[in-house]
């Protein structure tokens, strides 16, 4: 079954606004990662947050992790038209008894930033 | 940053033919490469994990004889879709994990859109 589930499935905002995407997962994780995918392209790693971290920043990106609720959020501040893409959370189950390295992706949130 | 090159980016073929997709890590050695399949507006579905010099590990439901994976070196993995059929039409993406260290993130190729007529 899908480990990560993003919410919302689609999000449309005006340029300059903030965009918040959420991810929920089911089992214990080693870390959680966010990736971005432009239409018809591969994925690009954005940020990684470990299970013992609660918040992390990278430029205009802010990620939070709540392991008690098994959820994470990705905030993009001051969005730009170039941020238009699909965003996926991925959970790393390594060192959780899940066997070898394994990254499981959610279904993604499609973000549209209107100029 | 690390670069993974995937070729071809798009391929159209007739039903019954075989298609080979290459995935190369250009500036690093990849201990492990992963092959995913993605349907429109869907997530990535892991098909198989390949380690250099050993047989690939396929996910449940993925036919080994249909999707042949070869990981001949630390920089190259190939996926061959044998006797392709229209239902094999999809977006295929490879990713690589760097050798050594505590490398938890993946580097992705740009994907291959396969259309089987």
């Amino acid at each position: 079954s899908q480990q990560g589930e993003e919410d919302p499935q689609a999000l449309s905002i005006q340029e300059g606004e903030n965009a918040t995407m959420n991810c929920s997962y089911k089992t214990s994780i080693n870390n959680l990662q966010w990736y971005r995918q432009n239409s018809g392209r591969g994925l690009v790693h954005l940020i990684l947050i470990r299970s013992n971290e609660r918040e992390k920043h990278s430029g205009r990106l802010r990620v939070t992790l709540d392991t008690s609720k098994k959820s994470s959020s990705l905030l993009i501040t001051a969005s730009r038209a170039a941020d238009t893409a699909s965003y996926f959370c991925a959970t790393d189950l390594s060192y959780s008894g899940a066997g070898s390295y394994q990254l499981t992706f959610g279904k993604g949130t499609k973000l549209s930033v209107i100029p | 940053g690390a670069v993974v090159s995937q070729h071809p980016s798009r391929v159209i073929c007739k039903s019954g033919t075989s298609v080979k997709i290459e995935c190369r890590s250009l500036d690093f050695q990849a201990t492990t490469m992963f092959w995913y399949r993605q349907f429109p507006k869907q997530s990535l579905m892991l098909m198989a994990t390949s380690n250099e010099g050993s047989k690939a590990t396929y996910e449940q439901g993925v036919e080994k004889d249909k999707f042949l994976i070869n990981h001949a070196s630390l920089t190259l993995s190939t996926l061959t879709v044998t006797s392709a059929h229209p239902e094999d039409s999809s977006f295929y993406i490879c990713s690589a994990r760097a050798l050594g260290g505590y490398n938890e993130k993946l580097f992705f190729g740009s994907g291959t859109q396969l259309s089987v007529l």
Side-chain angles (χ1 to χ4, degrees):
Chain A
S1 61
Q2 203 75 32
Q3 166 71 336
E5 293 286 342
E6 287 91 342
D7 168 57
Q9 292 186 12
L11 179 62
S12 183
I13 60 174
Q14 295 288 329
E15 199 166 32
E17 293 180 341
N18 295 340
T20 300
M21 289 159 269
N22 303 297
C23 171
S24 60
Y25 57 92
K26 297 176 182 176
T27 62
S28 297
I29 60 171
N30 177 38
N31 64 69
L32 186 144
Q33 305 176 33
W34 285 90
Y35 287 80
R36 166 195 168 128
Q37 183 182 33
N38 283 21
S39 181
R41 305 289 292 175
L43 278 69
V44 175
H45 181 269
L46 295 176
I47 196 165
L48 179 153
I49 186 164
R50 300 186 189 285
S51 59
N52 61 352
E53 297 176 312
R54 292 296 168 257
E55 187 171 312
K56 207 162 184 180
H57 297 255
S58 177
R60 293 185 295 113
L61 305 180
R62 172 177 170 256
V63 169
T64 62
L65 179 64
D66 187 334
T67 53
S68 66
K69 295 181 179 179
K70 291 186 171 57
S71 67
S72 173
S73 68
L74 170 66
L75 168 68
I76 304 175
T77 60
S79 63
R80 306 167 182 169
D83 295 328
T84 295
S86 291
Y87 292 82
F88 294 88
C89 69
T91 48
D92 180 357
L93 304 182
S94 305
Y95 318 118
S96 305
S100 60
Y101 179 86
Q102 182 177 353
L103 205 61
T104 306
F105 289 83
K107 293 184 178 180
T109 292
K110 186 175 175 62
L111 174 65
S112 299
V113 181
I114 303 166
Chain B
V3 176
V4 173
S5 175
Q6 184 174 342
H7 291 281
S9 59
R10 178 178 291 273
V11 59
I12 301 172
C13 69
K14 293 182 178 180
S15 186
T17 61
S18 293
V19 175
K20 180 184 282 190
I21 303 170
E22 286 191 353
C23 182
R24 292 180 183 271
S25 55
L26 297 185
D27 51 0
F28 67 100
Q29 291 183 319
T31 180
T32 307
M33 286 189 174
F34 304 88
W35 287 95
Y36 297 86
R37 184 172 179 177
Q38 186 179 31
F39 293 101
K41 299 181 181 180
Q42 294 290 317
S43 183
L44 282 72
M45 182 190 78
L46 179 65
M47 298 175 66
T49 302
S50 74
N51 293 291
E52 184 264 341
S54 61
K55 290 183 178 180
T57 302
Y58 289 81
E59 295 299 303
Q60 192 172 10
V62 179
E63 298 177 58
K64 301 179 182 181
D65 296 331
K66 178 133 185 92
F67 298 100
L68 300 178
I69 291 172
N70 184 282
H71 195 156
S73 74
L74 284 171
T75 59
L76 173 64
S77 177
T78 60
L79 167 67
T80 301
V81 183
T82 62
S83 187
H85 291 285
E87 57 265 30
D88 299 324
S89 298
S90 188
F91 191 62
Y92 293 88
I93 310 175
C94 69
S95 68
R97 186 185 183 199
L99 177 68
Y102 195 56
N103 295 296
E104 301 149 304
K105 65 181 182 182
L106 298 180
F107 301 98
F108 282 82
S110 54
T112 298
Q113 182 64 53
L114 171 63
S115 299
V116 185
L117 304 177

